[in-house]
Amino acid sequence: MIALAEDQGQQMARLHLYSLALVTILTLLVVRTVITPVADTETIRTQTPDSASSESNHLNLIWGVRMTCSLPPTSAEPLDPPTTSAFVGMRQFHAREHFKKNITSSAEVRIQWIGATFLRRYASKTEDVADSTAIRFYTLFRSSRDSKIIEELGDSHETRLADLWCLLKAQASGEVGILFLNAPNVFYVRDSAGVLSAVDATWGGAGWEIGASPVDGDRQWSSGTRVLSR
């Protein structure tokens, strides 16, 4: 009788373990069914047709969409090309005329700080105003150096000061937009001597803070940083 009771106890224990295993498997299947469509939706929402095939090459960047800051020409001349909304009537963009410290309500863009390196390398730069400004934005989800980010962006990594200014104009007083307000926004721009550097814009509370740093240094941008490219 004792042996029979022990056998029955062992059988009950095995049945209990089998039941737990079955419940675990069913739970995992249900979770997979519920979660997977949401993840797929997010992937589709943040990809564009030309980014989907390259996603596997981007290990540190979450892909965003490409946005264009452009308007039809406002000039009466019919042959004038379209120009970005930040540069209506402008043929050339002179950095010195725009990147100036000014946090008053009349400022074109509120800027509370400009780094000495940025002023030294970019203040004298002049750029032709392009027909349109198409910018793709990303979010860095792993701390990375500039060299790694540039490698992942490939040939489209370079932007212009005019691109930065176009986006700053849209968020001149700290409005919500493409640029992050609680993290750095990084652009890779060639200076007046043709040297590529990282230009970063960060909202400082009263205005934007604009800096520049070499791309071959040890500086690491933290996760959550916004990266902009063409």
Side-chain angles (χ1 to χ4, degrees):
M1 292 294 291
I2 295 176
L4 180 59
E6 290 179 349
D7 289 341
Q8 289 178 342
Q10 291 174 356
Q11 290 176 1
M12 291 297 293
R14 283 196 294 270
L15 287 173
H16 182 65
L17 290 174
Y18 293 153
S19 298
L20 286 177
L22 181 59
V23 169
T24 301
I25 292 171
L26 290 175
T27 301
L28 290 174
L29 289 174
V30 171
V31 170
R32 179 181 177 84
T33 302
V34 172
I35 292 179
T36 300
V38 176
D40 290 344
T41 300
E42 288 299 308
T43 300
I44 293 170
R45 184 178 64 80
T46 57
Q47 284 183 343
T48 54
D50 59 334
S51 72
S53 61
S54 303
E55 184 187 14
S56 61
N57 296 326
H58 290 252
L59 304 177
N60 299 301
L61 297 169
I62 299 173
W63 283 68
V65 299
R66 177 176 282 118
M67 57 82 65
T68 301
C69 182
S70 62
L71 285 177
T74 56
S75 171
E77 299 180 22
L79 296 181
D80 277 357
T83 181
T84 61
S85 60
F87 315 111
V88 174
M90 191 184 301
R91 288 288 179 261
Q92 288 189 318
F93 177 80
H94 302 285
R96 191 185 304 275
E97 296 177 2
H98 299 279
F99 288 94
K100 297 179 289 187
K101 288 191 289 185
N102 187 351
I103 59 172
T104 66
S105 58
S106 61
E108 191 176 11
V109 173
R110 291 189 178 186
I111 298 177
Q112 71 177 43
W113 179 84
I114 303 178
T117 300
F118 179 89
L119 290 174
R120 184 175 67 254
R121 301 184 66 170
Y122 290 97
S124 62
K125 189 178 184 186
T126 297
E127 297 173 344
D128 292 332
V129 174
D131 292 348
S132 63
T133 299
I135 296 295
R136 187 188 298 281
F137 62 89
Y138 310 80
T139 304
L140 194 65
F141 70 88
R142 184 180 293 118
S143 179
S144 300
R145 291 185 175 89
D146 291 303
S147 57
K148 179 60 178 177
I149 297 172
I150 291 172
E151 179 184 347
E152 293 194 17
L153 291 176
D155 294 337
S156 64
H157 66 274
E158 278 193 41
T159 54
R160 305 170 305 146
L161 290 181
D163 299 329
L164 168 57
W165 188 256
C166 182
L167 297 182
L168 288 174
K169 282 275 288 183
Q171 299 173 243
S173 298
E175 298 85 350
V176 174
I178 297 299
L179 300 178
F180 281 158
L181 300 179
N182 57 354
N185 302 275
V186 180
F187 297 72
Y188 294 105
V189 186
R190 292 195 180 276
D191 63 16
S192 55
V195 179
L196 186 70
S197 293
V199 175
D200 62 284
T202 306
W203 178 251
W208 291 95
E209 299 179 351
I210 312 297
S213 55
V215 296
D216 55 356
D218 293 329
R219 178 175 184 172
Q220 295 214 25
W221 299 103
S222 61
S223 60
T225 295
R226 174 128 289 177
V227 178
L228 293 300
S229 77
R230 298 304 294 272

